[in-house]
Amino acid sequence: MSGATEPVGVKCVVWDLDDTLWDGVLLEGDAPRARTEVVDTLRTLDGRGILHAVASRGDHDRAVAHLRELGLLDYFVHVEVGWDAKSVAVSRTAAALNLNPDSFAFVDNDPSERDEVADALPMVRCYPDSAAADLPERPEFVPERLTGESLRRRVMYQAEQRRRVDEERAGAHRAEFLAGLDLVMTVRRAREEDLERARELTVRTHQLNTTGRTYSMEQLRARCADPRHEILVAALTDRYGSYGTIGLAVSELAGDDHVLTLLLMSCRVVSRGAGSALLHHVVARARAAGRRPCAEFVPSSVNRIMLVNLRFAGFAPAGERDGVLLLAADPAATPAPAPTHVRIVDGDDPASTPAADATPPAGRR
């Protein structure tokens, strides 16, 4: 193996096709069958939430058609087949999936191709085709934790790709596209199975983040059990499928105040109005409990958009709290309207259907 010496966990495996995924060369007239050990590895890693992509030489349409004929195309979230260097194909794949190349593995039967990728992208781990059967046993291919969301990762990425293509096609009619997405946000109290994703969001989300605070699993678990605190998670779906858990609100119930100590939203949904929808829900929840909605804010070089969202929602400076800027919404003021294109569902209401469990309509799977 070549590449990074202390790798993070693998999130995506990029496969060569000829004489790697299958035996034979497609452009030489072969009709190669997929290698059994490769198919087994594809299925095992897919079940762990690890993505698969293709970087191979040849004719793109012919390769895609053969993958479909073998019943394997759906396992791949991105396919690069052409005549560019393999490192270029891997880089394009990382950009398309919005993943860091240090979480990538590359499998190819040709040592020169592996060397080319390793030289251009030393953070990518490279393996020969002979190692394919053993990949699931290697520690870098065994995630520390498996959640329901990680197990749906491939389907979520494929839905995002369809969504992105259709949005680009909409062009100047993007507003109509957004209005027709049928966006549903489900907000509910965090449960044990949500805590790993909540922790991950606090570490990885910086732009749409009010305070930049991070929490360990133990801290989140303690706040869930403390009646003086409330942790809400938000999931989002549209007609294409699920975005997964994309928002988090951590609040402290202090006297008559409902104080947001952290509100964040994944940058993946910044253009969907999801941040405003979650903020509106938290404010409405606080008002319904007879509390004054408040929010702490710690400015950074990238999170000014969250201050703008707070001000548009009716929050105004109200002094400091433990040395941190405190904003509050006037209890007598008319609440800011919720985004009309996002339907909010209370996931704690048994009569509601959680968005994360929603099934996309036929033809959009």
Side-chain angles (χ1 to χ4, degrees):
M1 185 187 95
S2 58
T5 56
E6 294 185 7
V8 298
V10 171
K11 295 182 180 178
C12 181
V13 185
V14 183
W15 297 85
D16 173 50
L17 295 179
D18 294 330
D19 290 326
T20 298
L21 190 139
W22 51 55
D23 289 311
V25 179
L26 202 58
L27 283 184
E28 292 182 357
D30 296 334
R33 299 181 64 179
R35 293 178 173 175
T36 301
E37 67 274 16
V38 173
V39 174
D40 290 343
T41 293
L42 286 174
R43 290 172 175 164
T44 298
L45 298 185
D46 179 73
R48 297 176 184 175
I50 295 174
L51 304 174
H52 296 290
V54 169
S56 192
R57 299 193 187 280
D59 180 85
H60 179 275
D61 292 346
R62 191 167 178 179
V64 167
H66 195 60
L67 285 169
R68 183 179 291 110
E69 181 181 335
L70 294 173
L72 298 177
L73 183 60
D74 281 350
Y75 280 107
F76 297 96
V77 295
H78 191 77
V79 176
E80 290 275 347
V81 178
W83 301 105
D84 289 331
K86 297 286 182 69
S87 62
V88 173
V90 173
S91 295
R92 281 200 295 253
T93 300
L97 300 180
N98 195 28
L99 290 173
N100 195 312
D102 69 359
S103 66
F104 273 54
F106 174 66
V107 184
D108 198 301
N109 68 299
D110 190 333
S112 65
E113 298 283 22
R114 299 197 302 272
D115 288 345
E116 188 275 328
V117 170
D119 287 343
L121 301 169
M123 72 292 292
V124 174
R125 283 145 288 192
C126 299
Y127 304 84
D129 61 308
S130 59
D134 299 327
L135 295 185
E137 307 305 319
R138 297 174 182 258
E140 61 267 35
F141 293 89
V142 181
E144 288 186 17
R145 297 182 180 89
L146 279 179
T147 66
E149 190 160 310
S150 65
L151 297 178
R152 297 192 300 271
R153 185 167 287 128
R154 169 169 57 91
V155 175
M156 290 168 58
Y157 267 86
Q158 290 168 334
E160 176 58 26
Q161 289 172 324
R162 295 192 298 271
R163 192 182 288 123
R164 186 186 305 127
V165 169
D166 286 354
E167 185 169 5
E168 290 174 355
R169 287 174 179 167
H173 302 286
R174 185 179 176 279
E176 290 88 339
F177 171 82
L178 186 64
L181 278 176
D182 300 328
L183 287 159
V184 178
M185 177 181 287
T186 298
V187 185
R188 59 172 172 78
R189 291 179 179 272
R191 303 165 186 163
E192 178 65 28
E193 61 267 26
D194 300 313
L195 299 188
E196 172 57 27
R197 175 57 175 162
R199 183 204 64 80
E200 181 183 50
L201 282 170
T202 69
V203 172
R204 297 180 56 183
T205 307
H206 306 290
Q207 184 179 1
L208 299 177
N209 188 317
T210 55
T211 60
R213 292 191 176 99
T214 60
Y215 295 95
S216 67
M217 292 281 286
E218 292 73 21
Q219 289 172 321
L220 290 169
R221 192 173 290 117
R223 281 166 173 75
C224 284
D226 185 349
R228 297 171 298 174
H229 290 86
E230 181 178 78
I231 298 181
L232 301 178
V233 291
L236 191 68
T237 63
D238 63 15
R239 61 190 177 92
Y240 294 87
S242 174
Y243 295 81
T245 300
I246 42 75
L248 179 69
V250 181
S251 301
E252 182 180 342
L253 309 181
D256 292 331
D257 289 342
H258 182 119
V259 184
L260 270 168
T261 57
L262 173 66
L263 178 75
L264 61 80
M265 183 63 56
S266 170
C267 294
R268 294 188 293 115
V269 294
V270 63
S271 63
R272 303 293 185 247
S276 297
L278 177 58
L279 180 58
H280 179 275
H281 180 80
V282 173
V283 169
R285 192 180 182 102
R287 290 180 183 273
R291 297 181 182 275
R292 180 179 68 153
C294 300
E296 294 181 344
F297 183 78
V298 178
S300 72
S301 60
V302 295
N303 75 340
R304 180 173 173 77
I305 187 173
M306 288 303 280
L307 180 60
V308 173
N309 283 343
L310 287 166
R311 297 305 300 269
F312 271 122
F315 285 79
E320 290 188 352
R321 184 173 187 263
D322 298 328
V324 174
L325 175 64
L326 182 70
L327 299 101
D330 185 350
T334 302
T340 57
H341 63 280
V342 182
R343 181 166 66 89
I344 300 175
V345 172
D346 183 353
D348 291 322
D349 182 351
S352 299
T353 301
D357 296 332
T359 300
R364 292 291 186 183
R365 294 179 185 271

